[in-house]
C-alpha cells in the first residue's frame, strides 16, 4: 500500500501496518513521518525499539536475529532500520524479501531510506515491501504544495498570515523545509500566536542580520571568545531581537543532546550528522564541540537559557544580553 506524506496522520489511528518504508531526500518530512509512526507504535504497546543501520559493515543476519527475538520485558518491538544508500544491496534484498514472506508477530519494521532510483521501484524487494506493508515516498515541495505546507505549519504554531506573507517566506526558504520550520519558530518566538503582517514576516526572514546569528553560533562552537564578544555586541547594537539569539543557542544545545543520545545508542556518526542537518562544512566544528561538551554541560546551557528567556519576557533587556553572553561562554568552555 502506498500513502502520500500528508495521508499518514489520518491513516495511523486506523491501525498499524507491520512494515513502513519511507524514502526521499527531504529530511524534515522524512524524519517527522518516522517520528509519527514511532509515537503511534508506542501508544499501541510497542515499547521496545532496536535501531539497525545498514551501512557498509552491516550484517543482514542481524535483521533476522532481531525479528526472531523478543524482549522478556515487552511483547511488542519496533525494528528501526536505516538505509543510508537508499537500497539494500543484493544480500539485503534477499533478507527483506524473506522478512516479508514470514512476518514476525508483534514486530513493526520501520525502514527509512535515502531517495531511490526509479529502477528500484521495480525490484523484488521493493515490491515485497509494498505488498506486505506501507510505502511512503517523500518529495521536495514546490508551488502551491509548498504554500499549503507553510500555511499548515504556521497554523500548528497558532500563526496566520496573508498569501503575500507566505509567498515572502516561500521565496526566502527556497524549498528547504528545515529552514522554513526554523523561520516559523523564529516568528513564533518574536510575535507569539496571532496574525502576522507581510511586513513582520519580511522583517524576520529577509533581515540580513540573521546571517550574523549563524556566524555567532560558529564562533561559539569554535570557542573564539573575542569574536563572540564582538558579534554579540554588534547584534545588540543593531537592534537584533534577543529571542532570535536565544533561539539559535537553545536549538544548537538540543541538537547536540539528540546527537549525543543517538551516538550513545551506537548509531552511525555520519548518518546521525546527516539526520540532524550537520553538513560537511560544519562537521569538524560540531565534532570538536561535541568532544568537549557533555550532556550535563548541555543541560546546564538550557537551564541558563531558560533564565535568559525569563529576563526577556520580564523586559530586563540589559540582564538578558548578559545572560546570553554567559550561555555563549558556557558553549565555549573547556576549549
Amino acid at each position: 500500500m502506498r500513502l502520500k506524506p500528508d495521508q499518514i496522520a489520518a491513516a495511523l489511528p486506523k491501525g498499524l501496518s507491520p512494515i513502513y518504508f519511507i524514502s526521499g531526500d527531504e529530511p524534515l518530512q522524512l524524519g517527522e513521518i518516522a517520528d509519527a509512526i514511532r509515537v503511534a507504535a508506542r501508544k499501541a504497546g510497542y515499547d521496545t525499539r532496536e535501531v539497525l543501520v545498514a551501512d557498509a559493515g552491516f550484517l543482514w543476519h542481524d535483521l533476522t536475529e532481531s525479528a526472531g527475538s523478543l524482549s522478556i520485558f515487552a511483547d511488542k518491538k519496533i525494528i528501526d532500520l536505516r538505509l543510508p544508500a537508499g537500497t539494500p544491496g543484493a544480500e539485503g534484498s534477499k533478507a527483506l524479501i524473506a522478512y516479508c514472506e514470514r512476518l514476525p508477530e508483534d514486530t513493526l519494521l520501520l525502514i527509512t531510506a535515502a531517495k531511490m532510483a526509479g529502477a528500484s521501484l521495480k525490484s523484488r524487494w521493493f515490491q515485497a515491501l509494498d505488498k506486505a506493508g506501507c510505502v511512503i515516498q517523500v518529495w521536495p515541495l514546490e508551488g502551491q504544495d509548498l504554500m499549503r505546507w507553510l500555511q499548515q505549519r504556521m497554523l500548528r504554531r497558532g500563526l496566520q498570515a496573508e498569501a503575500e506573507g507566505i509567498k515572502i517566506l516561500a521565496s526566502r526558504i527556497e524549498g528547504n523545509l528545515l529552514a522554513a520550520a526554523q523561520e516559523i519558530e523564529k516568528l513564533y518566538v518574536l510575535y507569539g500566536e496571532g496574525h502576522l503582517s507581510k511586513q513582520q514576516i519580511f522583517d524576520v526572514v529577509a533581515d540580513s542580520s540573521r546571517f550574523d546569528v549563524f556566524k555567532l553560533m560558529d564562533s561559539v562552537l569554535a570557542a573564539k571568545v573575542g569574536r563572540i564578544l564582538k558579534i554579540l555586541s554588534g547584534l545588540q547594537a543593531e537592534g537584533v531581537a534577543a529571542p532570535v539569539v536565544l533561539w539559535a543557542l537553545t536549538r544548537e544545545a538540543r541538537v547536540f543532546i539528540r546527537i549525543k543520545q543517538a551516538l550513545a545508542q551506537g548509531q552511525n556518526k555520519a548518518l546521525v550528522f546527516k539526520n540532524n542537518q550537520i553538513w560537511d562544512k560544519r562537521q569538524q566544528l560540531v565534532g570538536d564541540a561535541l568532544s568537549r561538551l557533555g550532556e550535563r554541560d548541555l543541560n546546564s546551557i538550557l537551564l541558563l537559557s531558560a533564565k535568559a528567556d525569563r529576563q526577556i519576557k520580564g523586559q530586563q533587556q540589559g540582564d538578558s544580553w548578559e545572560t546570553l553572553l554567559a550561555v555563549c561562554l558556557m558553549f565555549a568552555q573547556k576549549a
Side-chain angles (χ1 to χ4, degrees):
M1 177 177 66
R2 302 193 191 188
L3 289 177
K4 295 179 180 179
D6 58 2
Q7 295 175 320
I8 191 67
L12 288 173
K14 298 177 181 178
L16 293 173
S17 172
I19 300 174
Y20 288 93
F21 178 78
I22 316 167
S23 73
D25 58 359
E26 209 303 301
L28 183 68
Q29 286 190 89
L30 192 148
E32 291 188 341
I33 291 169
D35 285 343
I37 293 169
R38 294 186 194 104
V39 169
R42 284 195 294 271
K43 289 180 179 178
Y46 290 83
D47 296 323
T48 301
R49 177 177 167 224
E50 185 172 352
V51 178
L52 303 175
V53 182
D55 52 16
F58 180 68
L59 299 175
W60 281 94
H61 180 66
D62 291 347
L63 173 62
T64 306
E65 282 193 351
S66 179
S69 63
L70 284 176
S71 168
I72 62 173
F73 302 108
D75 294 328
K76 295 182 177 181
K77 175 170 63 176
I78 303 171
I79 300 176
D80 202 330
L81 176 64
R82 316 290 174 82
L83 291 181
T87 57
E91 185 181 352
S93 299
K94 295 177 182 177
L96 289 175
I97 292 170
Y99 185 99
C100 292
E101 289 174 346
R102 295 184 179 180
L103 293 174
E105 294 183 4
D106 298 322
T107 301
L108 186 151
L109 176 61
L110 171 61
I111 307 172
T112 51
K115 181 181 178 181
M116 300 188 306
S120 296
L121 300 178
K122 300 178 181 179
S123 64
R124 286 187 60 208
W125 65 268
F126 179 83
Q127 295 295 330
L129 292 175
D130 192 7
K131 182 178 179 181
C134 179
V135 171
I136 306 146
Q137 290 183 274
V138 175
W139 305 102
L141 298 179
E142 299 177 346
Q144 289 301 312
D145 289 336
L146 176 59
M147 295 285 285
R148 278 192 296 271
W149 187 92
L150 291 171
Q151 188 174 39
Q152 291 169 1
R153 191 83 180 192
M154 292 179 73
L155 286 172
R156 284 166 56 180
R157 263 310 195 182
L159 300 172
Q160 300 92 40
E162 303 297 335
E164 286 301 314
I166 296 176
K167 286 180 181 178
I168 292 171
L169 179 56
S171 66
R172 163 67 183 89
I173 57 100
E174 298 179 345
N176 184 333
L177 299 191
L178 179 67
Q182 293 172 356
E183 295 289 359
I184 290 169
E185 189 65 22
K186 282 198 293 182
L187 288 165
Y188 173 76
V189 169
L190 286 172
Y191 301 119
E193 296 183 358
H195 188 276
L196 300 177
S197 68
K198 66 178 183 180
Q199 186 62 48
Q200 286 175 309
I201 294 175
F202 181 83
D203 288 344
V204 172
V205 303
D207 186 351
S208 62
S209 67
R210 68 181 181 274
F211 295 110
D212 290 329
V213 173
F214 295 128
K215 288 177 183 177
L216 171 67
M217 291 313 306
D218 285 348
S219 299
V220 165
L221 298 186
K224 296 180 178 178
V225 176
R227 185 159 175 76
I228 291 171
L229 293 169
K230 182 178 180 180
I231 295 177
L232 199 61
S233 297
L235 292 172
Q236 185 177 8
E238 291 170 10
V240 174
V244 173
V245 178
L246 178 62
W247 164 82
L249 290 165
T250 53
R251 176 186 173 275
E252 203 77 46
R254 293 190 178 101
V255 168
F256 273 35
I257 289 172
R258 286 202 303 271
I259 291 174
K260 280 190 168 292
Q261 291 173 345
L263 294 176
Q265 294 172 0
Q267 295 183 36
N268 177 270
K269 184 177 180 180
L271 182 60
V272 172
F273 273 14
K274 179 181 178 181
N275 288 341
N276 286 278
Q277 311 302 308
I278 309 298
W279 308 122
D280 292 346
K281 293 181 179 180
R282 296 192 79 228
Q283 286 185 2
Q284 184 65 49
L285 186 65
V286 170
D288 290 345
L290 282 168
S291 297
R292 70 172 187 268
L293 293 168
E295 274 200 55
R296 182 177 296 181
D297 300 318
L298 295 167
N299 285 321
S300 296
I301 286 169
L302 289 177
L303 285 173
L304 191 57
S305 298
K307 178 182 177 181
D309 184 52
R310 290 192 298 271
Q311 291 170 336
I312 291 169
K313 291 175 180 176
Q315 303 297 316
Q316 302 169 5
Q317 296 301 320
D319 291 341
S320 66
W321 281 96
E322 289 182 9
T323 306
L324 288 173
L325 173 58
V327 174
C328 291
L329 296 179
M330 285 185 74
F331 260 113
Q333 67 179 314
K334 302 178 182 178

